[in-house]
Amino acid sequence: MARRRLGPEGRFLLMALPGAIFVVVFLLLPILSIIVFSFWRTESYTLIPDWNLDNYATLFGTTTYMTFLLRSFTMAVAVSLASLVYAWPVAYFIAKHGDRYRLLLILALAAPFFTGIILRVTGIQGVMGPVGVINLGLMNYGLQPIEFIMYTQTAVGIGVTYLFIPFMVTAVYLSLLNFDFELLEVAKINGAKPWRAFIEITWPLNWMGTVIGLVLVFIPSMAESITPRFLGGPNAASFGQVLGLQFGETGTWALGSAMGVLLFAVSSLVILLMWRTVNLQRSGFTGGGS
Amino acid sequence: MAAGSRVAVAAYKGGSGLLLTLLYLFLYAPIVYVIYTSFNKDLIWPFPPDFTLDAYFKLADSSTYHEALWNSVLLGLGSAILCTVVATMGSMSILKYRSRWRGLIAVIYLCPLFVADLLVGISSLLFNRQVLGLPGNMGSAMIANAVHGTSFAFLIMIAQMARYDWRLDDAAMVFGAKPLRCFWEVTLPIIWPAMLGAFIISFILAFNNLEISFYNLGAIPTLPTIAWGSLRFGLGAELFALAALVNGVVLVTFTIMYLLMRYRIVSFGHRD
Amino acid sequence: MSEPVLELRNVTKRFGSVTAADAITLSVNQGEFFALLGPSGSGKTTMLRIIAGLEVPDEGGVFINGQDVTALPPYARGVGMVFQNFLLFPHKRVGENVVFPLRMQGASKAEQDERLKWALDLLRLDGLADRYPHQLSGGQQQRVALARGLISRPALLLLDEPLANLDRELRKEMEVEVRRYQVELDIPFIYVTHNQEEALTMSDRIAVMNHGRFEQVAPKLEVYTHPTSRFVAGFVGHSNVMTGTLAAIEGGCASLDWNGVTVAVRTPPGASVGDRVDCFVKLEKMRVVAPGGAAQGENRVPGTLRDIIFKGSTADYLVTLENGAELMISEGSETMGFQRKDPLEVVWSAEAGACFPAGGA
Ligand SMILES: Nc1ncnc2c1ncn2[C@@H]1O[C@H](COP(=O)(O)OP(=O)(O)OP(=O)(O)O)[C@@H](O)[C@H]1O
Ligand SMILES: [Mg+2]
């Protein structure tokens, strides 16, 4: 009876901590460990704790690595923006007009992930390749086949967008789910035209969801290694691809770790810059608590 | 003017509906191609069609693929259960209690979103091998996938539960429900669609994950790693057949869900 | 006298810099209808949540039927509660909502059915048991919330502004109903409201709360007629406030210089000549008469009628005095034949005024 009851703070920690510890142990510690390994050296497939900066010297000193990095970065930016522009009207449509089928419409965007990435990329080749369905169709009607789609940066871009655009739609949709559409009525009654209401109300109130969407697309696009290998030409190798190589064929784990750290650093920087544009008070975040 | 704006609204609605349709076409065209190819003799060049069920017979005979499928399902389920439990606890605590640790905890739960699959894969590989001295196995792959899926699940649950009225829990407690009973009687019946969404998404992400699983599974085959491995000799016909079957199951599930929604048997959290 | 059902001893609760309950001590007896009246943010809801166990006090103890329940969680306290916005479980039918407390107590199915029938009868909800909450009107939802609070025959029932969301008509009706249930069940009701009419209509005793403190706890008539603090005098009922300086004190009687008008008042305890005081007189304690007309009262002040505001059963007379101040007087609505700009006299007795040291500037 005299037992002291757990206060809200205690109950909060009891429920939140297991998951937080899980993430810290199995995500942050591994990341920390590759940061450490990036200052070591590999010799015949083993890591040797011999502290040095050689990996970073190699990384920054080799033009091709920097080219790969820049290429992946540009690709990720382009893909994120393309997804953003396309995803907004789509997410808005589902949130506003999806009615009781909204969940199904969103799951239908996730369902392609049931098919493995390799098969899907093969499928893209089959549809858009030089002798794929589209070009066969064009030639069948006596038209010029489209040259540019396959084995170019554009092809990689389309492939990467294909993979990650569902993330963007979902993020914006989830944000719109908590958006009070009646606010738009208020704006209109006060004389705002639809586009004006969008810019003044909808866009800022869903900016956080949009940022999360951009991050969700940017991060994997930047690290993507499969699509360039299949859809890119000889000059399309991505940073993720060479990073993967260090852990496969060449077995240079220390250098690979350094590459991982660099990738992580660039991604974190981008996220940080994006996050600075989010003002929690003004994004209408009202996560709760009594 | 009113008529003009009505036309504009209709045009907008039609236009964005069209965009959605095109997106589905874009997303499913390659999958349809894969299914189409699975019924063809020639996998590389399936034109003109030369239909056969060879791939399916081969699949029926191949124990490797059965094993890989089973492993994928196991990996997906294990990881999804972990994700859903962790994300439910995390999102509930953050939405329910005002704690000064709330911000920090939320950032920790979201961290995995900011780390690419590939990085999760290689860093857990090195961490397990170098620091913990563990070989890759199903457990480590499940955990690595679950870490990544947790933040997706968390995000989904937070977004869907943001409007839940936690005072309902207060009411239940005053009327005599202990915390677990309260969750079972009041919270769960209202938030289960959010949990289901989180579960499905984290299952899908783990089921076919290549980059995390590849580095953490050791020699255990799953569908994506077997596909990766068979690249050197050209993709096996069994893979096409399996993909077609999996998509068949998905289609049936969606159809059932559609019918349940259509006839308002289950609303999946939707309120008219 | 029997033991009080509820006792609070020195209960204190702080939220950061806000003290929502400040050393509250209180006992509530069997069968008592106790109203907790106070402005928004005064700590009423916090008080109820502490009694229910939803909030743990920083200091002090809560006793129910003599047992110390301070450390008990809400589900072990056996109190009923009606929440401000009802908080019916949206996924449960009316019947399921109402029997919820019994199910939690592990009552038998037969008992559940019997009690449910009793509760639905009592609250006139027959025929609605299979509806979902969102299919009910506001008044029906309110009654379901009451039924859920009452069904398990709790030791006491806590009600947090249960009528605040209802329209005026329905509220009047429900005030009478709620009072009827309370008399029928003979358990204490602790009724939170910021609506003084509600508190005055229904309760036996009232506590007036401000800034987490009880300003006055007394039978309702006493709170109304003999406020013990400046806050209570200003908050309960409608009063004219006269702020002035005490000019003379003769035993129990004093005279107040109110901007040149001399007003007879009771001597406020501990006051001395020269103090600034506020004198509160309820609108209906004043009379208007034609100059020289008959009326009881030591105070008789001339003025001019500015306007009459018709209120139905009563009418408010606005009278401008010679010192420029304005008084409002509540009279019966039958016409007294006065016109705007007519000269009048306002009459009231010294006893009607409640004086307190002047607040603010
Ligand atoms: N969980 C909490 N955290 C921080 N402050 C709180 C919390 N609950 C209440 N308060 C503060 O305590 C004070 C009393 O609040 P309470 O809800 O008890 O007021 P109330 O009298 O019920 O008001 P109302 O009539 O508006 O419902 C307020 O200043 C409020 O801001
Ligand atoms: Mg309140």
Side-chain angles (χ1 to χ4, degrees):
Chain A
M1 235 271 326
R3 185 177 61 99
R4 215 46 223 154
R5 280 170 65 205
L6 220 49
E9 196 82 42
R11 270 174 273 167
F12 172 78
L13 291 177
L14 189 72
M15 276 170 70
L17 268 188
I21 292 172
F22 176 67
V23 171
V24 168
V25 170
F26 293 107
L27 182 86
L28 298 187
L29 290 187
I31 296 281
L32 220 61
S33 69
I34 66 162
I35 294 179
V36 170
F37 298 148
S38 72
F39 295 103
W40 292 9
R41 141 178 99 73
T42 7
E43 208 168 80
S44 57
Y45 293 90
T46 34
L47 279 161
I48 297 168
D50 168 15
W51 298 83
N52 65 79
L53 288 172
D54 291 357
N55 299 313
Y56 289 100
T58 316
L59 207 49
F60 289 109
T62 315
T63 335
T64 37
Y65 288 151
M66 288 298 108
T67 316
F68 293 154
L69 185 67
L70 192 66
R71 183 183 291 151
S72 289
F73 181 81
T74 322
M75 177 63 67
V77 170
V79 168
S80 307
L81 292 180
S83 306
L84 174 71
V85 172
Y86 200 100
W88 248 97
V90 169
Y92 196 91
F93 179 84
I94 299 178
K96 191 89 199 272
H97 307 291
D99 201 33
R100 64 197 129 120
Y101 304 113
R102 291 194 294 201
L103 179 68
L104 198 58
L105 290 172
I106 284 293
L107 284 181
L109 292 173
F113 286 88
F114 269 115
T115 309
I117 181 170
I118 292 177
L119 274 178
R120 285 205 286 159
V121 174
T122 313
I124 297 178
Q125 274 179 315
V127 175
M128 302 196 308
V131 282
V133 179
I134 292 180
N135 276 341
L136 280 182
L138 287 174
M139 286 190 284
N140 204 13
Y141 290 102
L143 298 169
Q144 274 295 312
I146 304 171
E147 301 271 353
F148 73 89
I149 339 185
M150 258 314 119
Y151 310 122
T152 60
Q153 282 298 324
T154 319
V156 180
I158 292 176
V160 178
T161 311
Y162 173 86
L163 289 179
F164 302 124
I165 196 174
F167 292 160
M168 185 86 217
V169 181
T170 310
V172 176
Y173 163 78
L174 286 176
S175 175
L176 285 170
L177 208 57
N178 289 308
F179 172 67
D180 187 355
F181 281 94
E182 277 178 25
L183 291 177
L184 292 181
E185 305 298 321
V186 178
K188 275 176 206 158
I189 287 164
N190 288 312
K193 293 203 167 61
W195 62 268
R196 192 67 198 267
F198 179 83
I199 290 173
E200 298 269 347
I201 316 263
T202 320
W203 181 258
L205 279 178
N206 291 288
W207 178 239
M208 188 161 79
T210 310
V211 165
I212 289 179
L214 283 172
V215 169
L216 286 184
V217 175
F218 182 88
I219 300 297
S221 303
M222 173 93 197
E224 180 55 25
S225 63
I226 312 279
T227 325
R229 180 178 162 142
F230 283 82
L231 302 183
N235 292 322
S238 72
F239 195 71
Q241 226 174 320
V242 278
L243 170 51
L245 281 183
Q246 314 307 317
F247 290 87
E249 283 84 348
T250 60
T252 39
W253 295 344
L255 179 61
S257 296
M259 290 178 143
V261 173
L262 185 59
L263 182 65
F264 182 65
V266 173
S267 309
S268 306
L269 197 70
V270 170
I271 292 163
L272 222 64
L273 287 178
M274 300 278 298
W275 190 250
R276 292 193 52 169
T277 66
V278 175
N279 177 334
L280 278 186
Q281 253 70 51
R282 297 199 57 171
S283 63
F285 177 77
T286 47
S290 52
Chain B
M1 199 217 109
S5 81
R6 213 170 308 136
V7 169
V9 167
Y12 170 77
K13 185 177 169 185
S16 53
L18 183 70
L19 286 181
L20 177 63
T21 315
L22 287 177
L23 181 60
Y24 285 133
L25 274 179
F26 178 51
L27 289 176
Y28 284 95
I31 290 170
V32 171
Y33 175 86
V34 167
I35 295 171
Y36 163 82
T37 308
S38 75
F39 292 104
N40 267 285
K41 236 195 187 73
D42 192 342
L43 300 173
I44 313 286
W45 183 236
F47 306 104
D50 180 3
F51 290 118
T52 160
L53 287 176
D54 282 358
Y56 293 85
F57 292 129
K58 267 201 201 155
L59 177 65
D61 289 339
S62 156
S63 62
T64 326
Y65 282 93
H66 294 173
E67 199 191 330
L69 175 63
W70 169 239
N71 285 334
S72 274
V73 171
L74 196 67
L75 181 62
L77 283 180
S79 160
I81 289 171
L82 254 173
C83 287
T84 312
V85 171
V86 169
T88 304
M89 285 170 58
S91 53
M92 273 179 63
S93 63
I94 280 185
L95 290 173
K96 188 168 178 178
Y97 303 108
R98 296 185 186 188
S99 161
R100 68 199 123 119
W101 303 109
R102 221 157 58 143
L104 177 69
I105 295 279
V107 168
I108 292 179
Y109 274 91
L110 288 176
C111 256
L113 286 185
F114 306 147
V115 182
D117 283 13
L118 181 64
L119 267 177
V120 175
I122 58 157
S123 62
S124 352
L125 166 77
L126 288 187
F127 181 69
N128 287 342
R129 191 186 317 210
Q130 293 290 322
V131 182
L132 302 181
L134 296 175
N137 59 30
M138 187 52 101
S140 57
M142 236 180 233
I143 287 174
N145 272 296
V147 165
H148 202 240
T150 291
S151 46
F152 281 89
F154 177 75
L155 208 59
I156 290 169
M157 301 224 19
I158 285 268
Q160 299 218 32
M161 280 167 42
R163 288 183 181 185
Y164 181 80
D165 188 347
W166 295 100
R167 287 172 310 177
L168 287 174
D169 293 42
D170 285 349
M173 298 246 277
V174 168
F175 293 123
K178 299 202 173 84
L180 272 182
R181 189 82 191 267
C182 168
F183 177 76
W184 182 253
E185 290 268 352
V186 177
T187 320
L188 187 65
I190 300 177
I191 68 166
W192 74 265
M195 289 177 71
L196 179 71
F199 182 88
I200 293 178
I201 297 294
S202 39
F203 177 84
I204 295 178
L205 289 176
F207 176 78
N208 245 318
N209 188 287
L210 175 59
E211 288 176 316
I212 299 176
S213 305
F214 178 75
Y215 292 106
N216 287 283
L217 269 171
I220 301 172
T222 62
L223 290 184
T225 59
I226 217 173
W228 178 256
S230 71
L231 270 180
R232 238 171 299 167
F233 326 103
L235 289 176
E238 299 95 328
L239 273 173
F240 285 83
L242 242 175
L245 290 177
V246 168
N247 277 292
V249 173
V250 171
L251 186 68
V252 170
T253 314
F254 278 15
T255 310
I256 293 171
M257 277 180 78
Y258 170 77
L259 290 175
L260 290 175
M261 291 172 176
R262 172 80 180 74
Y263 295 103
R264 296 174 195 269
I265 301 166
V266 183
S267 70
F268 295 94
H270 178 78
R271 297 249 157 80
D272 290 290
Chain C
M1 196 184 144
S2 68
E3 199 170 36
V5 176
L6 171 74
E7 229 191 316
L8 300 179
R9 292 191 196 149
N10 232 4
V11 168
T12 299
K13 176 81 190 176
R14 290 180 207 92
F15 295 109
S17 61
V18 179
T19 308
D22 193 353
I24 298 278
T25 297
L26 170 72
S27 38
V28 179
N29 294 313
Q30 190 58 39
E32 194 174 13
F33 198 120
F34 187 86
L36 211 52
L37 178 64
S40 189
S42 56
K44 306 179 299 289
T45 298
T46 306
M47 194 84 267
L48 284 199
R49 289 175 61 86
I50 289 173
I51 298 169
L54 293 167
E55 215 77 75
V56 182
D58 299 326
E59 288 158 34
V62 181
F63 297 78
I64 294 178
N65 287 327
Q67 192 202 351
D68 182 357
V69 298
T70 318
L72 286 189
Y75 44 84
R77 294 195 178 192
V79 302
M81 189 158 177
V82 180
F83 293 85
Q84 182 163 358
N85 0 33
F86 312 145
L87 294 184
L88 300 177
F89 304 124
H91 57 293
K92 292 180 187 287
R93 294 171 195 277
V94 166
E96 296 169 304
N97 260 289
V98 174
V99 295
F100 186 84
L102 289 182
R103 276 186 48 234
M104 293 304 115
Q105 292 174 359
S108 70
K109 189 79 181 72
E111 190 187 345
Q112 285 180 31
D113 289 345
E114 190 207 316
R115 301 286 302 163
L116 177 63
K117 192 174 171 317
W118 169 81
L120 295 182
D121 275 353
L122 179 72
L123 287 139
R124 310 203 189 118
L125 285 165
D126 344 57
L128 299 180
D130 287 332
R131 300 248 192 113
Y132 282 99
H134 67 93
Q135 298 168 321
L136 300 178
S137 74
Q140 289 167 334
Q141 290 186 17
Q142 208 281 325
R143 292 210 294 273
V144 175
L146 259 166
R148 187 176 63 174
L150 291 172
I151 192 164
S152 64
R153 291 193 194 277
L156 78 165
L157 185 68
L158 309 172
L159 303 100
D160 192 357
E161 310 205 19
L163 307 184
N165 290 355
L166 305 183
D167 65 55
R168 209 184 145 79
E169 287 296 303
L170 200 53
R171 203 164 63 214
K172 291 275 166 237
E173 203 174 298
M174 288 305 298
E175 280 173 9
V176 180
E177 293 275 291
V178 170
R179 179 70 207 186
R180 180 170 73 85
Y181 308 139
Q182 195 269 330
V183 171
E184 207 154 306
L185 294 164
D186 199 37
I187 59 170
F189 276 27
I190 298 185
Y191 190 101
V192 161
T193 177
H194 60 233
N195 180 333
Q196 46 167 308
E197 276 168 46
E198 227 171 79
L200 291 168
T201 314
M202 299 201 274
S203 65
D204 301 319
R205 251 191 332 150
I206 295 180
V208 181
M209 242 190 137
N210 190 28
H211 294 306
R213 227 168 306 154
F214 281 172
E215 295 271 344
Q216 182 173 9
V217 187
K220 63 177 167 190
L221 226 64
E222 197 178 322
V223 170
Y224 191 78
T225 51
H226 296 293
T228 54
S229 79
R230 191 181 177 282
F231 176 81
V232 176
F235 189 72
V236 180
H238 299 283
S239 298
N240 289 298
V241 189
M242 293 167 277
T243 305
T245 315
L246 283 179
I249 299 182
E250 284 166 40
C253 282
S255 56
L256 179 72
D257 176 13
W258 174 43
N259 295 342
V261 176
T262 302
V263 179
V265 298
R266 279 183 303 168
T267 310
S272 50
V273 174
D275 285 357
R276 282 188 73 72
V277 292
D278 288 338
C279 181
F280 293 82
V281 182
K282 296 255 154 45
L283 305 190
E284 72 278 7
K285 295 285 185 192
M286 292 180 160
R287 295 269 84 88
V288 287
V289 292
Q296 286 282 322
E298 293 87 342
N299 294 300
R300 184 174 278 262
V301 184
T304 317
L305 181 62
R306 186 165 73 75
D307 208 351
I308 303 173
I309 299 164
F310 185 68
K311 287 263 185 83
S313 61
T314 62
D316 289 344
Y317 287 68
L318 291 168
V319 179
T320 310
L321 305 185
E322 280 160 1
N323 68 356
E326 191 161 87
L327 290 177
M328 189 187 265
I329 299 96
S330 184
E331 290 277 2
S333 62
E334 66 280 3
T335 174
M336 296 198 295
F338 293 125
Q339 302 287 326
R340 280 186 209 176
K341 302 221 172 103
D342 280 357
L344 292 171
E345 278 176 356
V346 182
V347 182
W348 71 95
S349 73
E351 280 301 302
C355 295
F356 305 96

